[in-house]
Amino acid sequence: MPDLSSRQVSQLPPLQAIRVFDAVARHLSFTKAASELAMTQAAVSYQIKVLEERVGAPLFLRRPRQIVLTEAGQRLAPAVGEAFAILGQAYAAARAGADGLLCVTTVLTFASNWLAHRLGSFQIAHPSLAVRLETSSRMTDFAREDVDLAIRSGGGKWPGLEAHKLLDADFTPMLSPKLAASIGGVNEPADLLRLPILDPGDIWWTEWFSAAGVHSHDLARRPGSSMGAQAYEANAAIAGHGVAILTRALFKAELADGRLIQPFDLVGDDGHAYWLVYPEARRNVPKIRAFRDWLLAEIAC
C-alpha cells in the first residue's frame, strides 16, 4: 500500500463526511443512514453536501421516495467501503491482541509464594487470555506502562485507582526448627536476639520487638544485608542462616510442612495490606473484570 504524503492527507475530506457517505451509499437512504449513525437527517444531508463540495460533483440523485448514486458516487462508494473494511479489520486485529494479553505486575514475594501456585486455574477458566506476570517493587504508572492490573502493598488509597484488599501485610518472626534448636529453643522474644537477624534494619523488627516489650536498640548496629524481598529472606531462614520477619499469609505452606516455625503468636500490623489495583476508568474491561472476579474468589477461599 503506498504511503500518503502530507499533501494528499490534507486534501482528504473530513472523516465524518466520508463516514456518512458510506452509510447513505449502502442504504441508499438518508433516513436509514441517520438511524444507523444516530444523527438527524438534516445532519446527514449537511455532511453529504460538505463532501460533494470537496469532490466538486453531486454524489446522489434525489428522486421521489428514493436516491441513487451518480457516476461520481459510484466511483467513490466501493473505495470508501473497502477503506472502512480495512480499517475495521486493523482495529479488530489490534483489539484482539490487546484483549488476548493480560499483564499483571506485583511484588516478587506475592508472585512466587501466592499467585504463581494459583494462576493455572485462571488460565484454565480463560484459555483465550495469555497472562504476562511481571515482578517489580516500584509503583506502576498505568498512564505510561502497558500494564492492566497491579498487586501492591500499601494503605489502599491511590488517586484514580480502584483498589480491592487482598491480604493483610502483617509480620512476625519465623525461623527454621534447626536454628531454634541450636540455642535450646526459642522460648521468649528476647531469645531471638541471640540468633542472627536477617535484615536487622527492617522497621518491622523494631515495631515487633517494641510490641513484645523487648529492647532491641542494638539491632541497628548489627551487621546484616537487605535482601529486598521476603521470598529471599524466607529462603535464607529455611537454610538456617537467621531469623526472618515475614507475612504469615504468604508462607502458609512453609509453616505447614515445618520448614519454618512461628515461635510466637504476636503479630505486628502497620495497617498495610496487599491490594489489587487498576484504573477506575477500566473497571469494566472484560479481561480486567475476569481477573478481578477470579482473584477475589480465590482470596475468599
Side-chain angles (χ1 to χ4, degrees):
M1 182 179 295
D3 294 333
L4 288 176
S5 67
S6 59
R7 176 179 171 79
Q8 287 174 307
V9 171
S10 67
Q11 290 177 339
L12 290 174
L15 181 60
Q16 177 73 337
I18 299 176
R19 182 166 171 259
V20 169
F21 169 76
D22 175 66
V24 175
R26 282 187 286 105
H27 293 293
L28 290 178
S29 167
F30 281 71
T31 302
K32 292 180 180 179
S35 176
E36 176 185 314
L37 300 172
M39 299 171 66
T40 65
Q41 282 188 252
V44 168
S45 296
Y46 173 76
Q47 293 297 333
I48 294 300
K49 181 180 179 182
V50 168
L51 187 58
E52 288 178 331
E53 288 177 352
R54 293 291 293 269
V55 172
L59 299 171
F60 297 97
L61 291 176
R62 280 76 166 175
R63 293 177 177 173
R65 298 185 180 181
Q66 74 173 118
I67 61 171
V68 295
L69 287 161
T70 64
E71 185 177 341
Q74 291 175 9
R75 288 196 300 269
L76 185 59
V80 168
E82 183 181 359
F84 275 110
I86 293 172
L87 185 59
Q89 291 167 5
Y91 175 76
R95 176 88 184 251
D99 287 347
L101 176 65
L102 181 75
C103 182
V104 181
T105 179
T106 181
V107 293
L108 184 145
T109 302
F110 191 93
S112 64
N113 286 54
W114 197 94
L115 187 56
H117 304 306
R118 296 167 171 83
L119 199 54
S121 68
F122 174 78
Q123 297 195 286
I124 290 172
H126 302 276
S128 62
L129 268 179
V131 179
R132 186 174 77 225
L133 186 61
E134 298 180 353
T135 58
S136 174
S137 58
R138 62 178 177 76
M139 197 75 78
T140 302
D141 184 347
F142 287 97
R144 297 177 180 272
E145 299 178 52
D146 187 18
V147 172
D148 295 302
L149 307 105
I151 297 169
R152 60 174 57 157
S153 174
K157 293 184 178 180
W158 295 280
L161 298 184
E162 193 87 16
H164 303 272
K165 187 177 179 180
L166 302 177
L167 303 169
D168 287 320
D170 57 22
F171 48 91
T172 192
M174 298 184 196
L175 70 162
S176 71
K178 184 176 180 180
L179 183 62
S182 70
I183 58 170
V186 176
N187 302 306
E188 57 186 49
D191 289 340
L192 295 174
L193 294 174
R194 298 164 55 197
L195 296 167
I197 300 293
L198 298 172
D199 197 359
D202 190 332
I203 189 64
W204 279 0
W205 277 119
T206 302
E207 293 181 7
W208 189 88
F209 276 122
S210 177
V214 175
H215 295 292
S216 58
H217 303 302
D218 68 325
L219 273 179
R221 296 192 297 271
R222 287 195 179 197
S225 58
S226 176
M227 299 184 182
Q230 289 190 54
Y232 298 144
E233 293 172 9
N235 286 337
I238 290 170
H241 298 316
V243 188
I245 192 158
L246 306 170
T247 297
R248 294 174 302 168
L250 299 180
F251 297 95
K252 288 182 177 179
E254 291 81 354
L255 290 168
D257 63 21
R259 284 177 290 163
L260 287 174
I261 59 172
Q262 178 188 332
F264 306 106
D265 292 334
L266 178 63
V267 175
D269 184 356
D270 60 5
H272 284 192
Y274 289 95
W275 301 80
L276 175 69
V277 300
Y278 49 86
E280 292 175 347
R282 304 199 70 210
R283 66 170 67 90
N284 290 320
V285 172
K287 61 180 178 180
I288 290 178
R289 187 170 62 242
F291 188 83
R292 175 191 65 215
D293 293 348
W294 168 82
L295 183 57
L296 294 180
E298 285 289 318
I299 288 290
C301 290

